[in-house]
Amino acid sequence: MSDTAGGRDWQSHPPYLFADYRSTALRAPTRPLIPIKHCLSEMTGPVYGHEAVAPLDADLTRNARRNGEPLGERIIVTGRVLDEEGRPVRDTLIEVWQANAAGRYVHLTDRHDAPLDPNFLGAGRCVTDEKGRYRFYTIKPGAYPWANHANAWRPLHIHFSLLGPSIAARLVTQMYFPGDPLLAYDPIYLGAPEGARERLVSRFDLAMTEPDFALGYVFDMVLRGRGETPFESRV
Amino acid sequence: MRDLLKQTPSQTVGPYFAYGLTARQYGYPNSQIADGTLADETVSGTRIRILGCVFDGEDAPIPDAMVEIWQADSEGRYAHPADGRGSNTGFRGFGRQGTGTDSRNRFLFDTVKPGPVGGEAAPHINVILFMRGLLSHAYTRIYFADESARNAADPVLASVPAERRATLLAQPDPSMPGLYRWDIRMQGERETVFFDL
Ligand SMILES: [Fe+2]
């Protein structure tokens, strides 16, 4: 039963306390988690369908324009959301947020001395289709410094929030870019166990690239299965 | 049995989630899917408010946490196909609040008191907690201190060591009918019980 789908796989997820990421010190729970047998509370979660998204929500290159196009390299970020058995997870609400091409967030407390882009907000959302697919147009985010340690820089990343079929399958994560030299120094990325963190790195795909328009990156995500009897419902 | 796919690792929500996940609450121009108001006047049930704070290991209020709640309606029904009973019209049961807009970094949810789910379970609200410095989100539950009979029969509460159960109990605030106080403590003597689910 060791490969039964459903539990939170702590071989894949970062621990609460990770010394190199300093903010974990005072925020990590210190006592063992108490296991819960899945009942209706855990097997359900908020339901958002395609009515939750407006047409421009998935196009970050257009959803905040004021007087022109946002600056930076246009990209397409696409992929599939699957469960642990490889089944597409449809109707998953995906919310994304990110820095602009200069590495600056719109967020009021971001003090990084890099320019804001009047035509880029950096937030969007979409809902997966019947094959679990999603697709965003955006601008490749820039790296930015942070205060964790001397000369600390976050690798390029896009934040993802997924509301899947249940609260047990809730996922908030970050997507990274292939070949980024900053990954080797980033305690947030390195907080995920070796052998698992690599799954957070998107892959460049020429086939997803739109000629003369935008480079394509593919990022598939796997959510937890359905709980204790995952094989029952398989057709 | 074929191999399972591996779960995508969690990462912290970071310090800058506000304009992505809680935009309206923080005054950004874009929309958000859920906020601190779960129930308006049309929803039936006993109106309650839950007010609280998230404290770090030095008892300082955490100003950049995000609290999500998921609950059944006043008759114990979840608005989800797995429940199958449907729910009160217009009651989705999902709320989301950042702790960065209140002057004391509190969160506040306006909702209805959930009914008991299933036979034995005491009324409760499921909580998912995110913040900078939390690489994987944390799950906990809100129970109600004024439901002692049902709480005594609840199997999840029973699985929690007796001396820690109080961390899950929202306390009625005598200053205002329907107001409950419930704080989250990440560490320390009164560290909140977190669940692995
Ligand atoms: Fe970030």
Side-chain angles (χ1 to χ4, degrees):
Chain A
M1 291 303 282
S2 61
D3 60 352
T4 293
R8 209 171 180 189
D9 173 16
W10 288 103
Q11 311 299 328
S12 289
H13 297 294
Y16 287 125
L17 185 64
F18 189 69
D20 288 348
Y21 179 18
R22 283 193 353 223
S23 306
T24 66
L26 289 175
R27 296 181 169 199
T30 65
R31 317 241 185 144
L33 301 180
I34 294 184
I36 274 190
K37 186 171 167 292
H38 283 195
C39 292
L40 215 44
S41 291
E42 292 73 35
M43 287 154 41
T44 55
V47 178
Y48 289 95
H50 291 267
E51 81 289 343
V53 294
L56 279 185
D57 282 356
D59 188 346
L60 286 68
T61 71
R62 293 168 69 199
N63 70 10
R65 281 191 195 185
R66 280 194 234 165
N67 57 9
E69 288 201 55
L71 296 173
E73 187 183 337
R74 274 189 302 258
I75 60 170
I76 294 157
V77 177
T78 186
R80 290 206 298 160
V81 179
L82 303 170
D83 70 14
E84 291 172 278
E85 295 190 72
R87 293 176 295 219
V89 186
R90 59 185 299 170
D91 295 334
T92 298
L93 179 71
I94 303 181
E95 297 167 275
V96 295
W97 68 102
Q98 62 165 90
N100 69 19
R104 177 75 187 265
Y105 282 91
V106 168
H107 196 280
L108 294 168
T109 65
D110 182 0
R111 303 263 156 72
H112 177 34
D113 180 22
L116 285 167
D117 184 336
N119 294 304
F120 188 74
L121 180 70
R125 64 175 82 101
C126 74
V127 173
T128 58
D129 69 11
E130 72 286 349
K131 296 204 164 104
R133 292 174 303 200
Y134 73 91
R135 180 183 182 83
F136 288 100
Y137 287 92
T138 187
I139 297 292
K140 194 172 191 181
Y144 61 85
W146 61 311
N148 188 70
H149 55 274
N151 204 13
W153 292 79
R154 292 300 327 279
L156 314 189
H157 62 278
I158 298 176
H159 293 267
F160 276 70
S161 163
L162 278 72
L163 284 164
S166 67
I167 61 163
R170 184 84 175 91
L171 177 69
V172 167
T173 190
Q174 300 182 27
M175 180 201 106
Y176 299 95
F177 289 84
D180 190 335
L182 292 170
L183 288 170
Y185 305 100
D186 181 49
I188 293 179
Y189 172 72
L190 296 174
E194 190 175 5
R197 63 176 80 116
E198 296 78 6
R199 301 198 290 276
L200 296 174
V201 182
S202 59
R203 84 189 141 77
F204 170 72
D205 189 343
L206 192 63
M208 289 298 165
T209 296
E210 286 187 20
D212 304 320
F213 188 69
L215 296 180
Y217 289 88
V218 174
F219 182 50
D220 294 327
M221 286 169 280
V222 177
L223 300 183
R224 289 166 56 178
R226 293 179 193 176
E228 29 227 27
T229 54
F231 301 113
E232 232 170 49
S233 55
R234 194 192 285 164
V235 186
Chain B
M1 200 177 281
R2 74 197 147 97
D3 285 346
L4 295 171
L5 297 178
K6 296 289 191 188
Q7 294 168 20
T8 300
S10 173
Q11 293 274 269
T12 176
V13 77
Y16 303 135
F17 64 81
Y19 72 94
L21 300 177
T22 53
R24 219 168 37 237
Q25 181 195 342
Y26 283 72
Y28 294 101
N30 46 326
S31 63
Q32 67 184 76
I33 55 151
D35 56 25
T37 303
L38 286 79
D40 61 18
E41 301 310 312
T42 68
V43 174
S44 66
T46 307
R47 235 135 270 281
I48 60 167
R49 310 186 93 188
I50 294 169
L51 178 65
C53 201
V54 188
F55 293 99
D56 72 10
E58 289 177 341
D59 272 339
I62 292 178
D64 53 6
M66 184 177 83
V67 181
E68 288 182 344
I69 64 172
W70 168 241
Q71 66 164 95
D73 69 12
S74 58
E75 293 172 62
R77 302 171 301 198
Y78 283 105
H80 186 278
D83 188 310
R85 293 171 294 172
S87 175
N88 280 331
T89 313
F91 187 71
R92 197 195 290 274
F94 182 61
R96 181 187 271 176
Q97 275 266 284
T99 60
T101 57
D102 177 75
S103 61
R104 288 151 68 186
N105 297 122
R106 295 170 300 183
F107 57 84
L108 176 66
F109 291 103
D110 277 295
T111 183
V112 291
K113 195 169 186 182
V117 177
E120 283 171 287
H124 64 273
I125 294 175
N126 308 284
V127 177
I128 318 177
L129 180 62
F130 305 86
M131 66 186 81
R132 175 176 65 84
L134 204 59
L135 286 161
S136 294
H137 56 260
Y139 293 102
T140 183
R141 281 183 172 195
I142 304 170
Y143 286 86
F144 298 90
D146 50 10
E147 292 278 357
S148 43
R150 282 162 162 170
N151 289 346
D154 186 86
V156 173
L157 271 179
S159 72
V160 173
E163 71 279 8
R164 299 191 64 202
R165 282 177 207 156
T167 68
L168 302 176
L169 298 182
Q171 299 289 341
D173 184 328
S175 75
M176 189 194 287
L179 177 64
Y180 288 86
R181 301 283 189 146
W182 182 73
D183 292 329
I184 302 173
R185 289 188 169 75
M186 302 310 296
Q187 302 178 350
E189 197 69 4
R190 289 182 291 160
E191 178 176 322
T192 298
V193 167
F194 298 106
F195 293 105
D196 198 15
L197 57 100

